[in-house]
Amino acid sequence: MPSALKTVPHASHWGAFTAVVRDGRVIDALPIANDPDPSPMLAAIPGMVHGPARIAEPMVREGWLKHRDRNRGADRFVAVSWDEALDLVAGELKRVKADHGNASIFAGSYGWASAGRFHHAKSQLGRFMNTFGGYTTQKYNYSYAAALALLPHVCGTAQPSEGPISSYETIVAETRQMVCFGGLSMKNTQLDSGGLARHESADWLKRAAEAGVRFVIVSPIRDDVPPFLDAMGAAEWLPIRPNTDTAMMLAMAYVLASEGLADDAFLASHCVGWPQYRAYLLGERDGVAKTPAWAEGICGVPADRIASLARESAGLRTMLSAAWSLQRADHGEQPFWALVALAAAVGQIGLPGGGFGFGYACVSGQGVPRSTVSMPTLPTLKNPTDSFIPVARIADMLLSPGGEYEYDGEIRTYPDARLVYWCGGNPFHHHQDLNRLARAFQQPECVVVHEPFWTATARHADIVLPATTTLERNDICAGKRDHTWAAMHQAIEPVGNARNDHAIFCGLAARLGNLEAFTEGRDEAGWLRHMYQVAEEKAAAQGVTLPPFEAFWETGEVNIPTPTKPFVLFEDFRLDPEGVPLKTPSGKFEIYSETIAGFGYDDCPGHPVWFEPHEWLGHVQQVSETPLHLISNQPRTRLHGQNDPEGPSRASKIKGREPIWLHPEDAALRDVTDGDIVRVFNSRGAVLAGVVVTDRVMPGVVQLATGAWYDPAEPGGLDKHGNPNVLTRDQGTSRLGQGPSSHSALVQVERYRGNLPPITAWQATEGSA
């Protein structure tokens, strides 16, 4: 007789779903019935849970076990018992703490490891380390680190990037034109950190188009134009040279300033610094007027269209937006600051349907009406060391212990990281210049990693502790941009000998003497109930009644009411700038910031300016050697590197390699066509990729999405799989934000004529089975 099927409610970063289980194996992940735009990426989940890349036992790198060597990334692993593995880890933690202090334990552990709020890996690690005396962490995120440093100086808050931002309700009702620098890529709306229940972004954008909103998409990639807006005749694509959006924004502001279209009243009442900025735009200081003709020579957008777009923005209710990706570039602070200044000159900030916002469509919930009720979270406690590095400065820290660097007005010193502890996430996906990162990973005395899969980070560890996937534990899905909390019921027993992160830390805490502080006497079930009840009490204080935990767990979800009044960013400040000032020194928008000017940074002065990126298509000598600008955007077939070996991601590969998009002109110059394998290279490294010829990228631009698992043929050698971060530059955006600048990279492409090496990134490591 056929085995009985079991179904359980569960959720992920790609949405809520029903897990279908037979004989202890997940065989399907079915989206919930009322999701209007379910993610196809759910299809990869069963294959990942039971795939060959799973780590089944605690593993220790042989060279480290025998000799404490640092030959990471090229050594075999041997299986050990849980007791031996935990004894080794506990011993290293004790040793480093005693000999070097807690700040020498680097446990930043950035990543999207779990949609669950209790088993959120970074939170579990942070709580454990804080009860052990502290650690060095990472500040901000790879998504919009430069914005998080800049915007509090300019707007008094990072909310314009983090959210909530003006909701789509106001755009549908009031906006007539939405200008989107960096586009509105629908692939990004299939996911959100912390998970989501329903995908609503596409529906809201369709409603806006039906209401007469016109979308102007400014991007080097036509794929950043939602196809349905194209089909509805509601979108205009303005191709722009990568990394030059600031120049176009400056020119639009120049038109407003020189033609008397700037809102002088708003600039006087709600802003400081317009006179200084206006003088820069008009060329009164440097002799260079930032005219549309000047900008056209930089960005490639016709001068007359720049000018007309500026006039339209002043004459229509206009929402100005920029994708988070724009600030992941050299001088990435500038386009975000320039957009705020442009919106201030237009004068519609705080009006329904007007103003600005960052990240529309960068994740599913950005711009979707959302609740203000606090979600359930695991308290991580205070870090006794208060030691951190900017999120993207990992390699600098490891390669330059004790070195000084500047950051947001401070002169800081890199800690001497003797032990790296990574739990959730994958720096060999997120970080830039991976060959440099691999060299940096040779420096610590010990690297500990919790991982379900043999990622490159696990392969560069000394001790690998096999972690469960979400389907092997109970949790609560609650994204801060979503209005539904979903129960994540355990679907199967742990695969192999895997343990959840909480259980691993309990085992370590028992050895180190901080078990009670870590658990507070609660197990998984106790923490889930406690976290929910705390959130329930906070909701009640806001007048929102939630069902008791038992009812939530049984029904599988709870819907949080959204506000009846559509949210407008900075509405209160517009209405009463004196009574509700911004949290800036002036209480107003700072088009010119005395604070930033006082830092004395030549790479980020006191107001928005145009800087030539370190690598860009306007540099004649660079282009002669590396004539193509690499866009390493987010993939459409996975989340970052998650689920790369299965489902849509695996199906998208070309002869096993990540696809790279080339314009027909660039393909013809290199005598390559669809399906060919090419070598993509620059001074930092080389990768193989499979060609897709398309006019959906500009001439001179190639697109190679992030997330193909790093798979070098030899340490520091050719990446066989197509990970673009082998090619990207590991340099901070500026001394202000120190964010990643991955989108400022030039490459060359040539046909690959050698024998294709096999892909080995998805296999268990040699000697580890």
Side-chain angles (χ1 to χ4, degrees), residues 8 28 164 262 488 541 613 745:
V8 297
D28 210 344
M488 302 170 65

Side-chain angles (χ1 to χ4, degrees), residues 311-375:
R311 298 176 190 123
E312 292 162 6
S313 298
L316 299 170
R317 184 60 57 88
T318 297
M319 175 62 70
L320 298 171
S321 78
W324 291 338
S325 59
L326 294 193
Q327 51 83 72
R328 294 197 296 271
D330 202 15
H331 306 291
E333 294 82 5
Q334 300 308 314
F336 270 39
W337 201 351
L339 190 81
V340 176
L342 178 59
V346 171
Q348 297 178 17
I349 299 175
L351 293 177
F356 71 98
F358 301 109
Y360 282 104
C362 284
V363 287
S364 181
Q366 194 79 324
V368 172
R370 63 193 268 191
S371 167
T372 57
V373 172
S374 297
M375 64 186 185

Side-chain angles (χ1 to χ4, degrees), residues 324-675:
W324 291 338
S325 59
L326 294 193
Q327 51 83 72
R328 294 197 296 271
D330 202 15
H331 306 291
E333 294 82 5
Q334 300 308 314
F336 270 39
W337 201 351
L339 190 81
V340 176
L342 178 59
V346 171
Q348 297 178 17
I349 299 175
L351 293 177
F356 71 98
F358 301 109
Y360 282 104
C362 284
V363 287
S364 181
Q366 194 79 324
V368 172
R370 63 193 268 191
S371 167
T372 57
V373 172
S374 297
M375 64 186 185
T377 56
L378 175 68
T380 57
L381 308 176
K382 179 175 173 56
N383 185 346
T385 71
D386 197 32
S387 178
F388 71 87
I389 61 168
V391 66
R393 301 275 61 80
I394 301 171
D396 287 356
M397 174 192 69
L398 294 176
L399 292 168
S400 305
E404 286 189 348
Y405 66 99
E406 293 181 85
Y407 173 64
D408 199 10
E410 296 183 301
I411 298 177
R412 299 185 59 85
T413 302
Y414 287 120
D416 184 5
R418 301 299 182 102
L419 187 153
V420 171
Y421 203 124
W422 209 276
C423 175
N426 181 2
F428 281 86
H429 158 73
H430 274 103
H431 204 68
Q432 288 70 60
D433 195 349
L434 293 184
N435 291 329
R436 180 174 187 256
L437 182 66
R439 294 193 296 274
F441 256 62
Q442 309 303 312
Q443 305 308 310
E445 295 165 356
C446 181
V447 177
V448 180
V449 170
H450 294 201
E451 251 297 344
F453 311 107
W454 279 113
T455 64
T457 301
R459 294 169 191 267
H460 283 81
D462 299 315
I463 304 171
V464 182
L465 304 179
T468 55
T469 66
T470 68
L471 284 152
E472 297 149 61
R473 58 203 189 212
N474 294 296
D475 215 328
I476 298 172
C477 169
K480 68 178 182 179
R481 300 182 184 89
D482 197 42
H483 46 80
T484 299
W485 299 348
M488 302 170 65
H489 289 198
Q490 182 175 338
I492 59 173
E493 292 300 311
V495 171
N497 207 6
R499 295 183 182 180
N500 66 57
D501 299 312
H502 182 73
I504 295 171
F505 287 127
C506 285
L508 290 173
R511 288 164 168 79
L512 296 169
N514 57 321
L515 181 60
E516 179 60 29
F518 176 65
T519 67
E520 296 183 16
R522 300 185 185 95
D523 59 8
E524 176 189 77
W527 272 112
L528 293 178
R529 182 182 299 274
H530 174 73
M531 288 163 51
Y532 183 92
Q533 289 174 344
V534 170
E536 184 183 1
E537 292 169 4
K538 291 180 179 179
Q542 295 180 248
V544 177
T545 300
L546 301 180
F549 176 78
E550 292 77 7
F552 157 69
W553 196 251
E554 182 177 351
T555 59
E557 71 173 33
V558 58
N559 293 304
I560 314 298
T562 55
T564 55
K565 184 179 183 297
F567 180 73
V568 177
L569 184 62
F570 296 119
E571 182 178 38
D572 292 343
F573 171 64
R574 184 184 185 93
L575 293 172
D576 186 6
E578 300 299 326
V580 191
L582 302 181
K583 295 180 181 179
T584 58
S586 64
K588 301 179 180 183
F589 289 107
E590 302 215 347
I591 299 173
Y592 179 90
S593 167
E594 294 280 2
T595 300
I596 294 178
F599 295 158
Y601 296 155
D602 59 3
D603 56 1
C604 190
H607 61 68
V609 299
W610 161 248
F611 285 109
E612 287 196 16
H614 184 271
E615 293 182 27
W616 73 300
L617 292 175
H619 194 296
V620 176
Q621 182 177 352
Q622 289 176 344
V623 169
S624 67
E625 300 172 0
T626 48
L628 300 170
H629 193 113
L630 172 67
I631 299 293
S632 53
N633 59 353
Q634 293 300 325
R636 65 174 60 246
T637 58
R638 57 185 174 263
L639 164 56
H640 302 308
Q642 291 187 38
N643 294 0
D644 184 45
E646 297 291 339
S649 181
R650 187 175 192 131
S652 74
K653 308 289 182 177
I654 298 173
K655 298 177 184 174
R657 325 294 148 167
E658 188 67 17
I660 183 171
W661 288 13
L662 280 79
H663 189 274
E665 294 177 10
D666 296 317
L669 284 172
R670 291 157 180 81
D671 190 28
V672 296
T673 188
D674 285 332

